[in-house]
Amino acid sequence: MASRLEPKALRDDMGNATCNPTQAGSKRRGKFEMPLREYMEEWLPKEISRNAEDNLYIFGEFGDQWEPLRTVYKLPPCLACSRESVAITIGLGGKHSGAPWHFHNAAFVEVFHGAKHFAMLPPGDPVIEDIDEVMQFNDSLSQYHWHMEERPRLEQMGKLGDLQECTVWPGELLYFPDGWHHGVVNFGPYTAFVSSFINTQAHLDHEDQDATRRFLVSG
């Protein structure tokens, strides 16, 4: 997978494929359609703007032309991860691009080139309300600039005590649970990654099956 996502190999193999980058604000909108080559050559090298609406970012390619890449991707080793229960997406980002604070179902993220910094908060953390309020009035603020401008204020107020952070490098896999708020910043001029979104019901079904097996064994 890493060799398939290497920049030159990807341009040569899929340069004419359609990609759908979006404006990476706290609300995903402004979807564009262009050849992948155009995105890689014209948008990836751009310096990040404070206004996330000026930054186009591929972080969820589902199109049929991307199916060959999804097919060769090896799913994470989890009981709930099957081709039927996981939505696999391909992501490509330039330096300091990323997704501002949001949440969704449980997911794995595996990095193949570059690096991704995650800031995460557990569901129900009181500071989420403060972050949502800021983003409601400035929903185009990039995650990189949130760290530069808003984070120091919240730290001084002692509101980020439960903040969890990590940087995911090539060959590493991150899992984050259902409903955790997170914001992401990509490092390096080129970051390529795969996200595997887990169907919540499938995950719960596996947990029920595990609980039944433990009960039968203990009985």
Side-chain angles (χ1 to χ4, degrees), residues 100-122:
W101 289 100
H102 64 289
F103 68 95
H104 45 63
N105 289 353
F108 287 90
V109 176
E110 185 168 1
V111 173
F112 292 92
H113 298 280
K116 297 179 73 66
H117 174 270
F118 282 81
M120 298 174 287
L121 288 163

Side-chain angles (χ1 to χ4, degrees), residues 96-147:
H96 296 155
S97 62
W101 289 100
H102 64 289
F103 68 95
H104 45 63
N105 289 353
F108 287 90
V109 176
E110 185 168 1
V111 173
F112 292 92
H113 298 280
K116 297 179 73 66
H117 174 270
F118 282 81
M120 298 174 287
L121 288 163
D125 191 294
V127 77
I128 293 173
E129 184 175 343
D130 294 82
I131 292 172
D132 286 346
E133 183 176 353
V134 168
M135 300 309 290
Q136 179 181 355
F137 293 101
N138 193 2
D139 63 1
S140 295
L141 186 68
S142 78
Q143 182 69 7
Y144 175 76
H145 289 91
W146 179 89
H147 281 286

Side-chain angles (χ1 to χ4, degrees), residues 27 69 85-86 127:
K27 298 177 181 178
L69 284 178
S85 63
V86 171
V127 77

Side-chain angles (χ1 to χ4, degrees), residues 2-21:
S3 62
R4 295 283 295 270
L5 291 175
E6 189 275 328
K8 183 179 185 305
L10 189 61
R11 277 197 304 270
D12 291 346
D13 187 37
M14 295 187 58
N16 294 325
T18 299
C19 67
N20 294 278

Side-chain angles (χ1 to χ4, degrees), residues 39-85:
Y39 172 75
M40 295 182 72
E41 294 178 352
E42 297 184 16
W43 286 95
L44 279 181
K46 285 190 175 184
E47 184 176 349
I48 193 74
S49 170
R50 182 183 184 277
N51 183 351
E53 293 184 356
D54 295 333
N55 308 316
L56 295 188
Y57 179 36
I58 292 177
F59 61 110
E61 283 296 345
F62 291 97
D64 291 342
Q65 295 176 77
W66 294 77
E67 182 62 25
L69 284 178
R70 292 197 297 270
T71 299
V72 300
Y73 177 65
K74 184 178 179 180
L75 287 171
C78 76
L79 290 175
C81 294
S82 68
R83 295 288 170 180
E84 295 73 31
S85 63

